[in-house]
Amino acid sequence: MKKMIYWSVLIYVLYCAGIALYLFWFSDASIPTEWRGTSADPSSFLTSGEQHLSERYSDLKNFLYFASIPYDWFVYLLILLLGISNMLQKWAQRATKAFWMQTALYVFWLSLIITAAALPLELASYHFSRAYGISTQSMSSWLRDEVTDFLISTLLLFFVITVLYGLIRRFEKRWWFFAWLISIPLTIFLMFIQPVVIDPLYNKFYPLKNHALEAEILSLAQQAHIPADHVFEVNMSEKTNALNAYVTGIGSHARIVLWDTTVERLKQEEVLFIMAHEMGHYVMKHIYWGIAGSIVLAFFGLWMVSRLMSWALAKWRKHLRIKAVGELASLPLLLLIMSLLQFSVTPLTNMVSRYEEHAADKYAVELTEDADAGISTFQKLAKAGLSEVYPPYLVKIFRYTHPTIFERIVFLEQQKSENGHK
């Protein structure tokens, strides 16, 4: 056990050192020579000071991301190797004989331990966002969101684990298949209720205040044959200076949402371009394709989890202090394996997402016929969020669900020259 902990610490330290060297010293953020001096060149829309801040902030943010994921794995491993998971299970079993109550007690304390362990990195991320002027959120508001996250995630985890471990105990070999079947309606249900139940716990949503702008957006929606009655605005200025808009939910609960920072700081034609982009997602049914993709990944993921858990117990049962997969004490192992698998497919899911976002950009420029509005929008998005215009390749494949700012502007410039868009 000591050797496993020692080697885990050593590997993690060496990994963080390697990531730091890559991000802070060896990565190159300079754009290709042929695009220097164009609208895709950050020096054309950012001052030298803003470029420096963007690079430093992006490096810190990216380092925290790459450091936090294996840190979570290390926490799960320590909880197993130090016998904490086994101790929590025994305590829950002594407290009550009802399995669902045992699960509730175990999940609550395990979630509390994991949240406390992750708090230093979460605080560091919040501090850097405040220091670089991205976040405007007060500490009390940030803590309130953290508590809300904890309560929602713990409640969902309790529900999922109660069902999942009930299946594991009843269907030792095929539990993963029945868990997958149950996950399908659950995934759809969560997507359906998120806009009206979960999102309002964090922010206030209301119909767009600018009625003239809303009329223009609804007119654009009509051109795209989208049955829309309202555009929603959310008061994100209380928490951030960044700009954003998105589509969420499915069916009658689907919403197009604008951050109030976007409404206040972009020109009308720029907002319309963003809305056309979001309408592209709706028209091309990207939300439904995303749900279908999640269901397919869940099938293979749960199958892999079942195989890897059995393999890990056969090899390290004594060290992990787990007797059987159906024990609650095996939950950190399940979370560890799921996190590893999710991280391993991140480049693939991000690549699919970037393809969809590029398709939405193409739809937006075709609908509005205003490439210049898109170019100025992406420049302002980079400026407001201190986004890295030309990120390192490793950062792009693991972090970017959208094409880079550089790629998006280059595409619009090409559209202008090829199709004559203004």
Side-chain angles (χ1 to χ4, degrees):
M1 182 185 70
K2 289 181 179 179
K3 285 183 178 179
M4 290 181 74
I5 295 175
Y6 169 79
W7 281 107
S8 297
V9 172
L10 181 61
I11 291 170
Y12 180 68
V13 170
L14 291 175
Y15 162 82
C16 287
I19 289 295
L21 286 172
Y22 174 75
L23 292 174
F24 294 105
W25 281 278
F26 295 126
S27 61
D28 184 10
S30 59
I31 66 170
T33 306
E34 63 269 25
W35 287 98
R36 291 177 186 172
T38 68
S39 61
D41 187 347
S43 63
S44 69
F45 56 90
L46 297 175
T47 66
S48 58
E50 287 171 335
Q51 290 183 68
H52 177 74
L53 286 175
S54 173
E55 291 173 9
R56 292 300 92 191
Y57 177 65
S58 296
D59 288 344
L60 289 169
K61 184 174 59 175
N62 292 329
F63 177 78
L64 284 175
Y65 166 80
F66 283 109
S68 65
I69 293 176
Y71 177 78
D72 290 341
W73 303 341
F74 180 63
V75 169
Y76 295 143
L77 194 60
L78 277 185
I79 290 172
L80 290 167
L81 295 177
L82 297 178
I84 297 172
S85 183
N86 188 269
M87 178 188 69
L88 289 176
Q89 176 183 259
K90 289 179 178 178
W91 175 76
Q93 289 171 340
R94 287 195 299 267
T96 178
K97 292 184 179 180
F99 177 68
W100 72 272
M101 285 292 292
Q102 292 175 9
T103 305
L105 291 170
Y106 178 90
V107 165
F108 174 80
W109 286 106
L110 180 67
S111 297
L112 194 62
I113 292 169
I114 292 172
T115 300
L119 194 59
L121 291 179
E122 294 288 338
L123 276 170
S125 179
Y126 169 73
H127 168 74
F128 289 133
S129 293
R130 288 278 296 183
Y132 281 83
I134 303 301
S135 174
T136 60
Q137 190 173 19
S138 66
M139 176 61 77
S140 61
S141 174
W142 181 81
L143 287 172
R144 185 166 57 250
D145 282 354
E146 291 293 307
V147 171
T148 303
D149 279 343
F150 171 78
L151 293 175
I152 292 174
S153 61
T154 301
L155 183 62
L156 288 175
L157 186 62
F158 161 69
F159 172 76
V160 170
I161 296 307
T162 301
V163 175
L164 181 62
Y165 275 73
L167 292 172
I168 292 174
R169 292 181 173 200
R170 185 169 181 177
F171 307 102
E172 185 179 352
K173 299 294 185 181
R174 294 285 183 266
W175 64 264
W176 64 271
F177 179 73
F178 294 104
W180 174 72
L181 289 177
I182 293 173
S183 75
I184 296 173
L186 180 62
T187 299
I188 296 172
F189 176 71
L190 289 175
M191 285 293 294
F192 190 78
I193 68 168
Q194 180 182 331
V196 293
V197 176
I198 298 176
D199 289 349
L201 295 175
Y202 296 89
N203 297 99
K204 182 180 178 182
F205 291 79
Y206 42 84
L208 186 61
K209 294 178 180 178
N210 187 331
H211 298 298
L213 178 59
E214 184 180 41
E216 291 290 336
I217 294 171
L218 293 178
S219 174
L220 199 64
Q222 189 175 14
Q223 293 178 45
H225 306 291
I226 297 174
D229 296 322
H230 294 290
V231 177
F232 288 88
E233 188 176 344
V234 57
N235 61 332
M236 288 301 297
S237 56
E238 296 179 359
K239 298 181 179 181
T240 183
N241 283 317
L243 313 177
N244 198 15
Y246 60 90
V247 176
T248 185
I250 58 175
S252 61
H253 287 179
R255 287 183 174 182
I256 298 177
V257 180
L258 272 168
W259 287 10
D260 59 347
T261 52
T262 304
V263 177
E264 292 166 4
R265 294 160 61 181
L266 293 186
K267 297 176 181 178
Q268 178 171 299
E269 60 268 24
E270 294 166 342
V271 174
L272 290 176
F273 185 90
I274 289 179
M275 285 292 93
H277 171 98
E278 301 304 332
M279 290 172 192
H281 288 304
Y282 181 93
V283 169
M284 291 180 278
K285 303 186 186 303
H286 288 162
I287 291 178
Y288 296 97
W289 283 110
I291 293 173
S294 297
I295 291 171
V296 171
L297 285 176
F299 178 86
F300 292 103
L302 285 167
W303 176 75
M304 283 294 296
V305 167
S306 70
R307 299 297 297 270
L308 290 173
M309 284 190 74
S310 298
W311 172 78
L313 284 187
K315 193 172 182 65
W316 296 301
R317 186 185 308 271
K318 182 179 178 181
H319 296 295
L320 298 176
R321 307 190 188 194
I322 304 170
K323 295 179 182 179
V325 174
E327 287 187 335
L328 285 173
S330 70
L331 180 54
L333 177 62
L334 184 143
L335 295 175
L336 170 60
I337 292 172
M338 290 184 70
S339 182
L340 283 165
L341 292 175
Q342 185 177 19
F343 183 72
S344 68
V345 299
T346 295
L348 173 63
T349 56
N350 282 353
M351 181 179 67
V352 172
S353 177
R354 288 195 299 270
Y355 171 82
E356 291 181 341
E357 295 296 337
H358 174 72
D361 283 348
K362 185 177 181 181
Y363 181 88
V365 74
E366 289 173 353
L367 183 62
T368 64
E369 297 185 348
D370 193 352
D372 284 336
I375 291 170
S376 61
T377 296
F378 294 139
Q379 290 175 339
K380 290 179 181 180
L381 286 172
K383 190 181 185 76
L386 291 182
S387 302
E388 202 165 11
V389 175
Y390 196 77
Y393 181 72
L394 193 64
V395 173
K396 175 185 171 180
I397 63 172
F398 277 101
R399 298 218 63 196
Y400 274 60
T401 57
H402 291 60
T404 66
I405 295 294
F406 172 78
E407 291 169 333
R408 300 179 91 171
I409 294 177
V410 165
F411 166 71
L412 292 177
E413 286 289 359
Q414 292 170 341
Q415 288 293 296
K416 285 175 62 176
S417 60
E418 292 173 7
N419 301 318
H421 295 313
K422 62 180 180 179

